[in-house]
């Protein structure tokens, strides 16, 4: 049995549970239960505060955990990053009142900075030879300059709307963060085998993200030009149709370039273009 530590609430919780569901790891939806076992896979989910996950993994209370990279780096626990998961992306940035002119990092010399991430901030300032007064706040960091508690803040930024609403501007990005799968360094072989199967499923789910399966009919004499226009994973599948002079082409397209490619295909004579979603993709 592999124990996975997961954030108990919030956006990271929702995206983590969605990933497990897409990987066909069924977790009963029980509220106020600390530990829940999967009904179809040898894993159990331990629900914790995000800042408790790195320590729980490092000391073996949980075998692996899914947590924001920012929390993992801040806690500096003896665990390893196994995989970057690509969701819950954000950045840790320094921000100051928007009306203040900013000339560079030296502005922070001697300034009081409010943050919930003192470890990351102190290491960054030491690296850049800046001496500042770090003031630790556990919540609502963004209001600190407005109530004269601090000159600046160091906090998570996603869209930036919270900064704008508090009349702040982002001036330095210290690190970028996303959800990561972290693991204990002393996993048994049995637990590693379970983890490998989870990683295989997660890879298949993530490989299918933003991908479309496309089928089309095309004039056989245009096949070479059409295939050259396709940026698919590998060479597309081509099959002859019952009607002479026509072929069926099957391929996978990235959604971000989909409409541009479809336009080219139509101009080359492709017809009956069928677009299907992809749930899983084994590469």
């Amino acid at each position: 049995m592999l124990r996975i530590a997961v954030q108990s609430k919030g956006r990271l919780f929702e995206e983590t549970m969605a990933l497990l569901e897409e990987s066909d790891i069924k977790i009963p939806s029980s509220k106020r239960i600390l530990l829940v076992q999967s009904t179809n896979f040898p894993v159990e989910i331990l629900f914790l505060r995000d800042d408790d996950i790195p320590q729980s993994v490092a000391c073996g209370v949980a075998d692996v955990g899914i947590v924001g990279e920012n929390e993992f780096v801040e806690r500096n626990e003896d665990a390893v990053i196994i995989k970057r998961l690509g969701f819950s992306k954000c950045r840790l940035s320094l921000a100051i009142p928007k009306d203040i002119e900013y000339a560079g990092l030296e502005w922070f010399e001697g300034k009081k900075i409010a943050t919930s991430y003192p470890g990351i901030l102190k290491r960054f300032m030491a690296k850049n030879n800046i001496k500042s007064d770090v003031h630790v706040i556990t919540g609502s960091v963004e209001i600190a300059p407005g109530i004269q508690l601090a000159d600046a803040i160091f906090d998570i930024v996603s869209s930036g709307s919270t900064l704008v609403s508090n009349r702040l501007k982002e001036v330095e990005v210290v690190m970028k963060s996303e959800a990561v799968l972290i693991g204990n360094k002393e996993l048994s072989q049995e637990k590693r085998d379970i983890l490998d199967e989870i990683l295989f499923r997660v890879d298949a789910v993530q490989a299918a993200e933003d991908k479309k399966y496309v089928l089309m009919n095309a004039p056989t004499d245009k096949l070479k030009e059409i295939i050259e226009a396709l940026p698919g994973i590998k060479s597309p599948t081509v099959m002859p149709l019952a009607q002479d002079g026509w072929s069926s082409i099957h391929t996978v397209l990235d959604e971000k370039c989909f409409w541009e490619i479809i336009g080219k295909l139509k101009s080359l004579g492709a017809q009956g273009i069928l677009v299907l979603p992809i749930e899983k993709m084994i590469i």
Side-chain angles (χ1 to χ4, degrees):
M1 184 74 69
L2 185 77
R3 180 175 292 175
I4 307 174
V6 169
Q7 187 172 316
S8 58
K9 59 182 179 180
R11 185 172 64 126
L12 184 56
F13 161 79
E14 294 169 358
E15 292 180 302
T16 297
M17 300 311 289
L19 179 61
L20 292 174
E21 183 179 357
E22 290 172 359
S23 302
D24 196 31
I25 299 173
K26 302 185 186 302
I27 308 298
S29 55
S30 303
K31 294 183 178 180
R32 299 185 183 278
I33 294 181
L34 181 65
L35 191 64
V36 180
Q37 186 172 331
S38 169
T39 58
N40 69 335
F41 200 79
V43 301
E44 54 186 6
I45 305 299
L46 176 64
F47 295 107
L48 297 174
R49 285 168 45 100
D50 57 347
D51 52 357
D52 289 333
I53 292 175
Q55 183 181 37
S56 73
V57 172
C59 69
V61 172
D63 301 307
V64 298
I66 296 177
V67 68
E69 186 177 3
N70 54 303
E71 286 292 346
F72 178 65
V73 174
E74 173 65 24
R75 302 301 159 186
N76 198 26
E77 295 285 351
D78 191 24
V80 294
I81 293 179
I82 297 170
K83 182 177 176 61
R84 297 180 181 278
L85 297 173
F87 57 82
S88 290
K89 291 186 176 183
C90 62
R91 55 195 181 274
L92 282 175
S93 297
L94 286 158
I96 66 175
K98 73 171 191 175
D99 296 330
I100 293 178
E101 184 177 346
Y102 181 72
L105 268 176
E106 60 274 9
W107 184 89
F108 291 98
E109 183 71 34
K111 297 293 196 300
K112 181 180 285 188
I113 308 172
T115 185
S116 299
Y117 298 93
I120 296 173
L121 178 57
K122 288 176 181 178
R123 290 192 290 271
F124 176 77
M125 289 302 186
K127 180 181 176 181
N128 289 279
N129 298 313
I130 302 291
K131 294 181 180 179
S132 55
D133 180 10
V134 177
H135 187 77
V136 181
I137 298 179
T138 56
S140 300
V141 173
E142 66 278 356
I143 70 170
I147 59 175
Q148 286 75 55
L149 186 62
D151 302 301
I153 69 166
F154 176 62
D155 202 17
I156 290 176
V157 179
S158 295
S159 66
S161 60
T162 300
L163 294 182
V164 172
S165 63
N166 285 277
R167 298 180 58 79
L168 299 172
K169 62 182 178 182
E170 184 178 10
V171 293
E172 297 284 345
V173 176
V174 173
M175 73 168 285
K176 293 183 178 180
S177 175
E178 63 183 280
V180 292
L181 176 67
I182 62 173
N184 183 274
K185 292 182 175 180
E186 304 296 332
L187 289 182
S188 67
Q189 187 58 52
E190 177 186 2
K191 291 181 177 181
R192 288 182 183 277
D193 290 343
I194 297 171
L195 177 59
D196 286 344
E197 176 60 26
I198 293 174
L199 291 173
F200 174 75
R201 296 187 183 194
V202 168
D203 286 344
V205 170
Q206 293 186 329
E209 290 177 357
D210 301 322
K211 299 291 192 302
K212 300 294 182 184
Y213 189 72
V214 181
L215 303 84
M216 72 198 80
N217 297 333
T220 302
D221 61 1
K222 293 288 186 179
L223 282 180
K224 185 175 184 298
E225 294 172 77
I226 289 175
I227 290 172
E228 287 176 351
L230 293 173
I233 299 173
K234 291 184 179 179
S235 179
T237 300
V238 179
M239 296 179 289
L241 294 178
Q243 183 179 347
D244 288 341
W246 284 84
S247 298
S248 176
I249 302 174
H250 298 209
T251 192
V252 174
L253 293 180
D254 197 317
E255 192 166 25
K256 64 184 178 183
C257 64
F258 173 77
W259 288 111
E260 177 186 352
I261 299 301
I262 290 298
K264 291 181 181 178
L265 298 177
K266 288 185 66 179
S267 68
L268 291 170
Q271 299 179 8
I273 301 173
L274 181 63
V275 183
L276 302 173
I278 301 174
E279 286 189 5
K280 315 285 189 299
M281 190 162 65
I282 314 300
I283 299 177

